[in-house]
Amino acid sequence: MGKLLAFGEIMLRLSPPGRELLLQSPRFDVWVAGAEANVVTALAKLGHDVGIASRVPDNDLGRSAITTLRGHGVDTAAIQFGGDRMGLYFVTSGAGMRATEVIYDRAGSSFAEAPVDAWDWDTLLVGVDRLHLSGITPALGPVPAESAIAAAEAASTRGIPVSFDGNWRGKLWERWESDPRGILTRLVAHADLMFGNHRDIALLLGRDFSGEGEDRRREACDAAFAAFPKLQTIASTARHVEHVDLNRLSARIDTRDAHAQTEEVVLAGIVDRIGGGDAFAAGVLHGLRSGGDIAQAAATGLALTALKHSLPGDAALFRQADIDAYLAGGLDVRR
């Protein structure tokens, strides 16, 4: 098996301690973040050969991010130095009936300012057997959008499978004269594996789906399979929010001729749900790359995202033994 390479922005996440409001106390907890970085970090902790292509400033912030990723086992050789600033975002964790809030500070970041020709895909894709992208990169602006499309096209031309996570970020798309449907359609056209639900597919196809529950999800998947010939697998979650600390979550994987649906699990006492979708993507990729079928991959994806909800920060820092223990059940102290 070759290497999985992700392409996207590496950021720093700043959060008030505990459940405080922003600057209620004059300090922050800081984590290395970014959707693609979260996926490869989780996969590295699970023993996979992974790397990330990105760009950070040549200063203490950028170098610390590289050191952190390398410490988790991620190959950082494809991270460039350039530009002047690190992308940031601020997360104020919710509680009870107060929702979590996100503020982006990513404009003019090193990654967002990188020109399309900064990425030498002839070199970057050597030894790679999967490219992982998300909808966040094209949301950053017209140049990152073209860079993401160029990456997908380069992989597709070389016969390298592309996985794509929709990761809708309306606040980012709204900042420029964007065409989300047109851009995302060009990306999904190269993907064999997509992470997204019926709402993501509705955006791509410019239509709504009238069913309910599993029927609606299957109807949306069938429409996506018809529209995108390369697409073979769609993985999704369904979340019901009772309050910030109590969610119910299930997972599903659809292929062109089959599907696998998990039971719904209750996530109580949630510590941090940010990065949960990235953990799900990593869990599904882990399951599939480990030779599991779609039922096993769906269960693994749900297990890893459930575990992520117990951990502060963006990345799921769990081993296979943690997933096995979760799937085995039992929450008493392990001695």
Side-chain angles (χ1 to χ4, degrees):
M1 183 177 294
K3 176 184 293 183
L4 182 146
L5 180 73
F7 174 59
E9 181 169 29
I10 301 166
M11 300 188 297
L12 295 180
R13 167 183 161 182
L14 291 80
S15 290
R19 300 294 183 91
E20 292 185 11
L21 300 176
L22 198 67
L23 295 178
Q24 181 178 336
S25 298
R27 61 186 186 271
F28 288 109
D29 294 326
V30 183
W31 293 277
V32 175
E36 299 81 8
N38 293 340
V39 170
V40 292
T41 294
L43 286 170
K45 301 298 282 188
L46 290 166
H48 295 274
D49 184 7
V50 294
I52 185 168
S54 192
R55 190 176 190 238
V56 297
D58 188 3
N59 59 27
D60 287 345
L61 298 179
R63 290 186 176 275
S64 293
I66 290 174
T67 299
T68 298
L69 291 172
R70 188 181 294 134
H72 290 313
V74 177
D75 184 352
T76 60
I79 300 176
Q80 306 174 12
F81 288 116
D84 298 320
R85 69 179 302 265
M86 195 83 181
L88 307 175
Y89 83 113
F90 300 82
V91 177
T92 303
S93 295
M97 303 307 291
R98 172 169 59 85
T100 296
E101 292 283 347
V102 172
I103 298 174
Y104 293 111
D105 182 19
R106 307 174 67 159
S109 69
S110 294
F111 181 83
E113 295 293 304
V116 176
D117 61 6
W119 314 104
D120 179 6
W121 295 110
D122 285 334
T123 301
L124 293 172
L125 292 174
V126 172
V128 170
D129 72 352
R130 176 167 292 279
L131 177 68
H132 183 72
L133 304 169
S134 89
I136 297 177
T137 297
L140 294 174
V143 176
E146 286 302 319
S147 293
I149 292 168
E153 290 176 344
S156 189
T157 298
R158 291 162 177 77
I160 298 171
V162 174
S163 51
F164 178 79
D165 192 336
N167 268 329
W168 175 256
R169 298 293 184 271
K171 288 184 178 180
L172 296 176
W173 286 106
E174 291 168 2
R175 291 185 175 184
W176 58 288
E177 295 295 325
S178 60
D179 175 19
R181 181 183 174 192
I183 292 169
L184 295 176
T185 296
R186 292 176 66 187
L187 284 166
V188 176
H190 295 286
D192 74 313
L193 169 59
M194 175 183 169
F195 298 94
N197 59 24
H198 64 278
R199 288 183 293 272
D200 296 292
I201 296 170
L203 170 66
L204 290 171
L205 303 184
R207 54 167 290 194
D208 292 325
F209 299 97
S210 58
E212 294 293 335
E214 293 184 27
D215 289 341
R216 179 170 59 185
R217 295 166 82 179
R218 184 65 212 187
E219 179 188 355
C221 288
D222 285 339
F225 290 137
F228 301 104
K230 282 192 175 182
L231 191 59
Q232 301 299 317
T233 306
I234 300 173
S236 62
T237 58
R239 182 188 298 269
H240 297 90
V241 178
E242 302 291 342
H243 54 76
V244 168
D245 305 300
L246 179 63
N247 293 184
R248 293 180 286 116
L249 194 67
S250 63
R252 180 183 176 96
I253 295 180
D254 286 89
T255 65
R256 289 180 174 266
D257 55 6
H259 75 274
Q261 172 75 45
T262 71
E263 296 293 324
E264 190 174 62
V265 298
V266 176
L267 304 178
I270 293 171
V271 173
D272 190 344
R273 66 170 276 186
I274 301 296
D278 304 325
F280 174 68
V284 170
L285 286 164
H286 170 56
L288 295 175
R289 290 175 75 80
S290 300
D293 59 23
I294 60 172
Q296 293 168 316
T300 302
L302 183 62
L304 194 58
T305 191
L307 289 169
K308 167 62 195 71
H309 284 67
S310 73
L311 191 69
D314 271 39
L317 306 176
F318 298 99
R319 307 286 188 182
Q320 181 63 51
D322 300 308
I323 294 176
D324 293 341
Y326 172 86
L327 294 173
L331 296 175
D332 202 357
V333 177
R334 299 174 194 151
R335 301 182 191 276

